[in-house]
Amino acid sequence: MTRQLILATLLGVSASVAHAEVVSPTAVVANEYGEISTSLTGVAGDPVRGAEVMTSRSLGNCIACHQVTALEEFPFHGEVGPSLDGAGARWDEAAMRGIVVNAKAIFPESVMPSFYKVDGFTRPGDAFTGKAAPGALDPLLTAQDIEDVVAYLLTLTD
Amino acid sequence: MAENVTPRVRAPREASVGEVVSVRTLISHPMESGMRRDGDGNVIPRSIINRFVCTFNGEVVVDVTMEPSIATNPYFQFEAKVMESGTFNFTWYDDDGSVYEDSSDITVS
Amino acid sequence: MSLTRREFVGTSLTSAAAFAALPSLSFAATADEAIAAYYRRRGHIGCRDHLDRARNCRERLNTVQIEVSAPGAEEIIMFAAGNPNPNVATFKFGPMSGSQAATTRIRLASEQDVVAIAKMPDGSFLKAVSNVKVTIGGCGG
Amino acid sequence: MTGQTKRVVVAMAALALTASSLAVWADEDADLVVNGEIEMVVRTDAPAHLDGAVRTIYSGWVFRQDDTQAMQMDDFDNPGMLFAEQGQELFNTAMGANGESCASCHTNAEDLTRVRATYPKWDEAHGAVQTVEMQVQECQTESMGMAEAWGQNSQEMLNMTAYIASIGRGQVIDVAIDGPAQATWDAGKEIYYTRYGQLELSCANCHEQNYGNYIRADHLSQGQINGFPTYRLKNARLNGTHNRFRGCIRDTRGETFAIGSDEFIALELYVASRGNGLTVEGPSVRN
């Protein structure tokens, strides 16, 4: 296959090569256990940035529900979900990615939001306005946010 | 201009000579800080009660200068020492020039 | 599910205040300066101590009830250092006052230090600082 | 004791500053008696129709910090009572073309003692479940000759419902859910368990499965509505039930229902019935 042919194929899907490597929310492939073995971006997750996503109220806000001893400097950890201490020793990368993308595929009754999902909602809104969503929804986190969070969670081994 | 401004006071009706009594006051008022904006982005003008004075038989118990950080429906609790029967007078001064007053009598024996 | 008692229950969290005398300041002109002085010095007046306690304050409040007490003071001025306009109130105690203490409710824009400075009859000043956490809500609202 | 230490002690005695919110923690075992006389039921066995979903029902008061709890224990400290008093004035004020006030018909306000404890309630004449607000609106347009009734979330209506709740404080809630009200109750139950919005959260996810737990700094209650309308320290005003429902659905990143909508009437009936056995506390104080 020539270089020109590859480019032509990609242009039909996406404007840039970098974007073409991002798996869209509707194209994520999970196995029968909800595990996702392939990176959503092909770019290694950054655990430092992942911690930022975990603690930022406008991003993942993971500590709203989960206690994480390593993030103690950020106040007010919630109790709705299990503590994430040692989570990196309990789950491998594929399972971790599966949980962050769509926890309900692994734990059907989970309260946890699906962070990389864009459809199948009841009365989806326009963020926190209370108004109806004007069009297609963005996932709660970007693909790279997810990879960064997964990378951070895998560091929590004790 | 603030509407429905209602002062309330609670002070004992009776006390013994020299007793220190607790006085509480509450007044309904929005205490618009002057820092907020309305739906169109315009600053909502400041409208607060800026001073509260409590006197007993004409002499000051406490004189409070109030700023916008005082919460909506301002509340105060403080103590007075009563040596004789008399009247507490309470006065609130609004930015808009309104003055709200209340009073409470006490028998000291 | 049952209600769980937490480790903090029963811990006394009262009066997370730090104290410093400011003997040489002239009152009216230097309230802001006094707060600035506090910030310059905050490294050694016990912040660490009340950070631990303050962390336990979790209720999300816009309205916080504050009590201030300074026996013998002529007046007490109160600041909310993190509000857009930090001034809160000045209490002048008259001859009929039964104590130099008052309780009021203030609005706080965010976690911040509430500062009180008392002017004493001998011209000295006392200052108290209380770190108040106005907490982070869980949901969007 | 060294001189240095002594000086500090003197200084501490001389100026103390206490933010009440630092001094407190939720006392989940506390009992609520208002003004030293109105005894509230803040925890009791869940009604049978909850089918064991929870064993005990708790007033939201139980989950609040000590100082917030204290503000509801004395009418003077409860800013919500300022608005109940304004509601009482409205109750006695003539409104509408007929020159009548609420008190013209309801000559003895005490006759309304059971209203808050039994609404929402099936209304035979209208063939629908009615909220207290709808009942006030019905009086205004059908009896008092007002061209336009107060809006459900207007300040006047909040003041009036605060007054009506206040005269029923301490009454045990007993909302009827059978007979003609059952279909509405069923619809409310369906809404209660539906996971709304992009966060896919139902009422039950937080208030049935996780009450007593924290979401970030929010101490989750059972979402009981026996204290409504409630004075929230967060916004320093009275808040109505439907407005609170709206806030919760908004927080799921969902499209809310409208205040006064059939959906919220049904949800109000269902949630009220989950509190059967608690007492009327409105206007309560919450964070």
Side-chain angles (χ1 to χ4, degrees):
Chain A
M1 199 184 280
T2 68
R3 183 180 169 79
Q4 272 185 328
L5 243 178
I6 294 169
L7 266 179
T9 312
L10 288 172
L11 281 168
V13 182
S14 170
S16 81
V17 173
H19 281 172
E21 291 169 359
V22 172
V23 179
S24 79
T26 50
V28 173
V29 178
N31 69 13
E32 59 180 309
Y33 306 109
E35 297 163 346
I36 302 164
S37 51
T38 314
S39 166
L40 301 180
T41 62
V43 176
D46 172 1
V48 175
R49 156 86 181 146
E52 193 185 320
V53 175
M54 297 271 303
T55 53
S56 167
R57 193 159 171 252
S58 59
L59 294 171
N61 200 17
C62 307
I63 61 172
C65 291
H66 297 282
Q67 183 269 334
V68 187
T69 302
L71 298 174
E72 219 172 24
E73 69 195 281
F74 302 92
F76 309 127
H77 295 211
E79 305 168 320
V80 166
S83 168
L84 297 179
D85 289 357
R90 290 194 293 279
W91 309 98
D92 65 19
E93 184 185 318
M96 197 74 89
R97 187 179 290 112
I99 294 170
V100 179
V101 164
N102 181 13
K104 289 181 276 287
I106 298 174
F107 313 106
E109 299 302 314
S110 176
V111 171
M112 183 166 159
S114 302
F115 285 92
Y116 203 60
K117 178 178 161 179
V118 291
D119 51 20
F121 304 118
T122 304
R123 297 179 73 86
D126 183 8
F128 291 112
T129 63
K131 296 187 172 72
L137 292 167
D138 290 327
L140 295 170
L141 294 178
T142 67
Q144 195 57 48
D145 289 340
I146 303 262
E147 291 304 319
D148 293 345
V149 167
V150 168
Y152 176 75
L153 290 171
L154 290 171
T155 69
L156 300 175
T157 50
D158 6 86
Chain B
M1 183 142 146
E3 294 174 359
N4 278 330
V5 178
T6 315
R8 293 208 295 177
V9 303
R10 186 180 285 180
R13 297 282 172 200
E14 294 173 1
S16 50
V17 175
E19 189 176 339
V20 172
V21 298
S22 180
V23 178
R24 287 187 283 171
T25 70
L26 181 65
I27 186 164
S28 57
H29 195 283
M31 296 294 282
E32 191 60 60
S33 68
M35 300 284 175
R36 295 199 312 149
R37 290 174 187 276
D38 63 19
D40 300 326
N42 302 314
V43 173
I44 304 172
R46 172 181 138 154
S47 171
I48 70 166
I49 293 173
N50 56 53
R51 188 178 173 210
F52 164 72
V53 180
C54 170
T55 60
F56 182 68
N57 289 348
E59 291 210 71
V60 172
V61 179
V62 67
D63 184 340
V64 188
T65 306
M66 298 158 67
E67 305 285 349
S69 289
I70 293 286
T72 305
N73 306 322
Y75 173 92
F76 292 110
Q77 181 176 350
F78 50 89
E79 292 180 320
K81 188 171 188 176
V82 288
M83 304 303 290
E84 59 185 358
S85 296
T87 304
F88 288 107
N89 280 298
F90 305 90
T91 315
W92 293 260
Y93 298 88
D94 196 310
D95 274 353
D96 67 13
S98 304
V99 176
Y100 316 105
E101 292 178 299
D102 204 345
S103 65
S104 180
D105 295 332
I106 186 168
T107 303
V108 174
S109 53
Chain C
M1 184 179 303
S2 64
L3 293 176
T4 53
R5 304 293 301 168
R6 289 181 186 75
E7 60 196 285
F8 314 112
V9 171
T11 309
S12 170
L13 306 173
T14 320
S15 192
F19 305 92
L22 303 173
S24 61
L25 300 173
S26 118
F27 189 72
T30 59
D32 286 344
E33 203 180 315
I35 291 179
Y38 161 68
Y39 278 117
R40 282 196 299 275
R41 293 152 54 138
R42 70 181 297 171
H44 59 90
I45 62 167
C47 273
R48 185 71 231 169
D49 182 38
H50 42 97
L51 186 59
D52 288 341
R53 287 179 285 178
R55 257 190 199 164
N56 295 339
C57 160
R58 301 173 69 146
E59 195 128 297
R60 182 165 37 134
L61 303 175
N62 163 300
T63 309
V64 177
Q65 190 158 304
I66 298 273
E67 180 182 355
V68 66
S69 166
E74 291 174 354
E75 61 183 65
I76 302 174
I77 186 165
M78 199 189 283
F79 299 91
N83 278 5
N85 175 353
N87 295 317
V88 176
T90 306
F91 298 86
K92 293 192 178 90
F93 298 99
M96 299 317 250
S97 63
S99 65
Q100 289 71 49
T103 298
T104 189
R105 294 172 185 162
I106 71 175
R107 51 166 74 108
L108 296 177
S110 60
E111 173 201 343
Q112 58 182 278
D113 292 323
V114 176
V115 181
I117 298 169
K119 182 187 181 194
M120 307 307 286
D122 65 0
S124 69
F125 297 85
L126 297 169
K127 186 170 76 167
V129 181
S130 180
N131 181 267
V132 180
K133 292 249 189 224
V134 179
T135 58
I136 302 164
C139 323
Chain D
M1 186 181 282
T2 67
Q4 180 66 32
T5 308
K6 193 171 183 179
R7 197 167 66 83
V8 173
V9 170
V10 170
M12 285 182 73
L15 176 61
L17 174 65
T18 308
S20 296
S21 63
L22 283 180
V24 291
W25 197 253
D27 183 353
E28 291 168 352
D29 296 325
D31 290 322
L32 173 57
V33 180
V34 173
N35 301 330
E37 59 183 30
I38 308 173
E39 292 184 13
M40 301 291 186
V41 177
V42 295
R43 65 181 71 71
T44 190
D45 290 345
H49 61 76
L50 286 188
D51 279 336
V54 296
R55 206 185 318 166
T56 306
I57 52 174
Y58 299 92
S59 164
W61 182 85
V62 168
F63 300 91
R64 303 279 58 90
Q65 291 185 338
D66 292 10
D67 60 336
T68 309
Q69 289 185 339
M71 284 173 78
Q72 200 187 319
M73 296 176 78
D74 184 321
D75 283 357
F76 198 89
D77 292 329
N78 179 349
M81 289 305 294
L82 287 168
F83 301 97
E85 284 175 12
Q86 288 171 16
Q88 184 174 18
E89 276 178 38
L90 290 168
F91 191 87
N92 293 304
T93 303
M95 51 185 104
N98 305 339
E100 291 173 334
S101 70
C102 304
S104 305
C105 289
H106 304 284
T107 50
N108 184 1
E110 313 236 313
D111 293 345
L112 300 176
T113 299
R114 288 292 297 161
V115 168
R116 183 65 273 173
T118 54
Y119 273 72
K121 191 180 199 175
W122 178 258
D123 184 283
E124 200 57 54
H126 291 84
V129 168
Q130 291 212 134
T131 61
V132 171
E133 289 84 349
M134 291 161 77
Q135 186 61 60
V136 171
Q137 289 168 335
E138 180 191 320
C139 289
Q140 291 183 319
T141 55
E142 296 181 22
S143 302
M144 302 167 86
M146 280 172 73
E148 196 177 343
W150 292 336
Q152 159 136 358
N153 205 42
S154 64
Q155 189 62 53
E156 290 95 340
M157 186 65 88
L158 289 162
N159 292 349
M160 179 63 73
T161 55
Y163 173 61
I164 291 170
S166 72
I167 54 185
R169 283 188 298 171
Q171 292 286 312
V172 175
I173 291 168
D174 185 14
V175 173
I177 64 170
D178 52 2
Q182 171 133 24
T184 305
W185 186 82
D186 288 341
K189 183 177 180 182
E190 173 82 25
I191 292 169
Y192 189 85
Y193 287 102
T194 299
R195 298 180 69 154
Y196 289 107
Q198 195 175 2
L199 299 183
E200 298 178 283
L201 293 169
S202 69
C203 306
N205 284 151
C206 287
H207 298 293
E208 181 174 286
Q209 297 173 22
N210 278 296
Y211 68 84
N213 285 335
Y214 280 86
I215 281 196
R216 204 80 197 242
D218 286 340
H219 194 194
L220 290 170
S221 73
Q222 282 188 340
Q224 298 284 357
I225 57 174
N226 58 310
F228 278 78
T230 183
Y231 185 91
R232 298 187 69 185
L233 297 172
K234 177 186 172 184
N235 59 15
R237 65 189 301 270
L238 284 180
N239 295 259
T241 307
H242 289 199
N243 199 29
R244 190 72 203 87
F245 288 164
R246 202 166 62 159
C248 275
I249 296 187
R250 179 199 65 214
D251 288 350
T252 71
R253 295 178 80 108
E255 179 192 1
T256 67
F257 299 104
I259 288 172
S261 62
D262 288 347
E263 290 87 353
F264 275 169
I265 294 166
L267 184 60
E268 181 179 342
L269 174 64
Y270 177 70
V271 175
S273 81
R274 291 177 69 97
N276 277 354
L278 297 174
T279 39
V280 174
E281 289 180 27
S284 64
V285 182
R286 299 288 186 262
N287 60 318

